[in-house]
Amino acid sequence: MTAAMEHSDVTPSFFYDFGIVREKVAMLRGALPAGVGIHYAMKANPLPAMVSAMVALVDGIDVASGGELAVALKAGAVHISFAGPGKRDAELESAIRAGSTINLESETEATRALSIAERLGMTPRLAVRVNPDFALKGSGMKMGGGAAPFGVDAERVPALVKRLIATGADWRGFHIFAGSQALDSGAIADTQAATVALAGKLAQEVGATPPLVNLGGGFGIPYFAGEQPIDVAMIGERLGGVLENRDSILKDSKFAIELGRWLVGECGIYLTRVVDRKESRGEIFLVTDGGLHHQLAASGNFGTVVRRNYPIAVANRFGFDVEETVSVVGCLCTPLDRLGDQVGLPRADVGDVIAVFMAGAYGASASPASFLGHSPAREVLTKV
Ligand SMILES: *Cc1c(COP(=O)(O)O)cnc(C)c1O
């Protein structure tokens, strides 16, 4: 236990180790075919220090709101793309003024973006987000294959792109995102192959080469016992083959993948301190100073059907033998607030610190921080 950890205001907090992010990016660059860019989807972890560090490491930042756009610009990002349904006029205007690429989600959004650009006297950078006619198999969150609030249905994309080109917009290409949190490497590779094929088909129908094809992401990370990391070497190798055989109309296109969770999920831990140790009808509860208002995902209430335990430990007894089965709960007045359900841990008492791993993505910013009015968790980025 370090001196810092004994200090009581160190919890509740998130610690993110950027050294781990750097290793993952290096591993991915080694696996991907030369020239395939890596974008960071910053909604996974929008901490300004994280975004600043990412700007220096990756090839683009993907934002999903005007607020994220402002953080990315402040972090010095130059290559920014803006996807997401429901972009307001003020958000479109900020993106056009900043020279960011807008990934259009509908024909009506295209009309608004074009008229805002005309009013500003600027040439907008516009790409079209495609709602593909396939989904990423085994994905935790499917985002293609049927009717969707995201993207323009593939069959309607060529007409829209022709219209963008005809009005003199700077058409930047296609954005095709088919799913999230997939652990099936074969399915990810199949989806990338289908995505490159779809981009080629759409480009043929348009009769123009897309400057950039954003292949989406969907790379998952193992959260639970028995899950395995994806095989990026295999995915990269298969993508290499797909790109070698791509439609000639894509010969001069650039390609990129966009990832959030895979880049940052494993770099974070959430630390919370035991405030009370109580027994109820034969079960032991460790009641902590944190909970689902900081780390909703670990409580099983963020897009999961069956609640399973995230990896959890007593941080100041790391490596000690398991001595008892306990439930680790937060300080909120709801039975949903459970960080660990019936987990085997070394004995922990009041003042000890619980670590919940895999807390780098969709943690602090994806949790209902205002619920019950407790203070937010501190967030610290290290080894930048
Ligand atoms: C959320 C999102 C991502 C990131 O997804 P991860 O599963 O975190 O990698 C990428 N692209 C778009 C368009 C998104 O909305």
Side-chain angles (χ1 to χ4, degrees), residues 1 6 9 24 57 62 83 86 100 112 121 131-132 140 158 177 180 233 244 248 269 297 310 315 358 365 372 376:
M1 182 149 163
E6 277 171 89
D9 62 25
K24 296 208 75 169
L57 193 64
D62 290 326
S100 307
R112 284 194 293 126
N131 176 26
F177 179 80
S180 182
E244 263 172 42
S248 60
I269 60 169
Y310 273 42
M358 312 298 281
S365 71
L372 267 84

Side-chain angles (χ1 to χ4, degrees), residues 277 286 312-326 328 343-349 352 354:
R277 177 190 165 97
L286 302 175
I312 192 168
V314 182
N316 52 317
R317 304 251 154 78
F318 210 74
F320 283 45
D321 288 339
V322 170
E323 290 170 279
E324 57 186 18
T325 297
V326 301
V328 179
V343 288
L345 291 178
R347 187 187 161 98
D349 287 292
D352 288 333
I354 302 292

Side-chain angles (χ1 to χ4, degrees), residues 109-119 124 126 163-164 167 169:
E109 187 173 87
T111 302
R112 284 194 293 126
L114 288 168
S115 77
I116 290 166
E118 195 182 335
R119 171 167 58 74
L126 303 175
R163 188 179 136 211
L164 298 178
T167 54

Side-chain angles (χ1 to χ4, degrees), residues 1-296:
M1 182 149 163
T2 65
M5 268 175 69
E6 277 171 89
H7 199 258
S8 69
D9 62 25
V10 82
T11 62
S13 52
F14 289 88
F15 283 85
Y16 311 119
D17 180 345
F18 201 71
I20 293 174
V21 178
R22 212 178 275 117
E23 280 171 27
K24 296 208 75 169
V25 171
M27 187 220 277
L28 186 58
R29 288 215 191 272
L32 289 175
V36 174
I38 300 170
H39 292 188
Y40 175 50
M42 65 172 277
K43 78 171 182 294
N45 188 324
L47 186 73
M50 176 70 83
V51 179
S52 297
M54 280 291 193
V55 166
L57 193 64
V58 299
D59 309 302
I61 303 291
D62 290 326
V63 306
S65 72
E68 287 193 354
L69 175 63
V71 172
L73 289 170
K74 205 162 171 211
V78 180
H79 301 287
I80 300 175
S81 52
F82 183 0
K87 299 181 196 77
R88 262 78 90 207
D89 286 357
E91 294 176 299
L92 293 170
E93 178 170 335
S94 303
I96 292 166
R97 283 187 188 280
S100 307
T101 295
I102 297 170
N103 292 324
L104 296 168
E105 304 276 351
S106 69
E107 288 95 344
T108 39
E109 187 173 87
T111 302
R112 284 194 293 126
L114 288 168
S115 77
I116 290 166
E118 195 182 335
R119 171 167 58 74
L120 298 175
M122 297 181 74
T123 304
R125 295 201 165 117
L126 303 175
V128 175
R129 179 163 176 186
V130 180
N131 176 26
D133 44 13
F134 52 82
L136 173 51
K137 270 187 254 99
S139 160
M141 246 178 252
K142 280 204 185 94
M143 305 188 80
F150 312 107
V152 177
D153 295 345
E155 57 278 15
R156 287 177 10 208
V157 166
L160 175 58
V161 174
K162 283 182 192 165
R163 188 179 136 211
L164 298 178
I165 293 172
T167 54
D170 181 3
W171 174 54
R172 301 307 304 156
F174 298 122
H175 173 220
I176 308 176
F177 179 80
S180 182
Q181 180 53 17
L183 287 173
D184 179 342
S185 307
I188 292 171
D190 290 346
T191 299
Q192 290 183 336
T195 302
V196 173
L198 176 59
K201 178 172 165 272
L202 294 173
Q204 288 290 357
E205 287 171 35
V206 171
T209 294
L212 177 73
V213 178
N214 181 332
L215 298 169
F219 293 17
I221 53 174
Y223 284 96
F224 307 115
E227 292 183 339
Q228 297 298 324
I230 58 167
D231 183 349
V232 291
M234 184 273 265
I235 292 168
E237 210 173 296
R238 279 197 51 196
L239 182 59
V242 165
L243 292 181
E244 263 172 42
N245 296 310
R246 68 188 185 267
D247 192 306
S248 60
I249 200 165
L250 301 178
K251 190 168 68 69
D252 295 325
S253 298
K254 287 190 169 160
F255 293 84
I257 59 171
E258 56 177 9
L259 302 172
R261 190 190 304 272
W262 190 87
L263 292 175
V264 296
E266 289 159 317
C267 84
I269 60 169
Y270 173 61
L271 297 181
T272 180
R273 193 176 300 270
V274 178
V275 174
D276 193 14
R277 177 190 165 97
K278 61 176 281 188
E279 212 183 303
S280 167
R281 304 212 164 111
E283 285 190 34
I284 299 162
F285 292 89
L286 302 175
V287 186
T288 67
D289 64 3
L292 69 74
H293 54 309
H294 301 145
Q295 182 48 350
L296 182 67

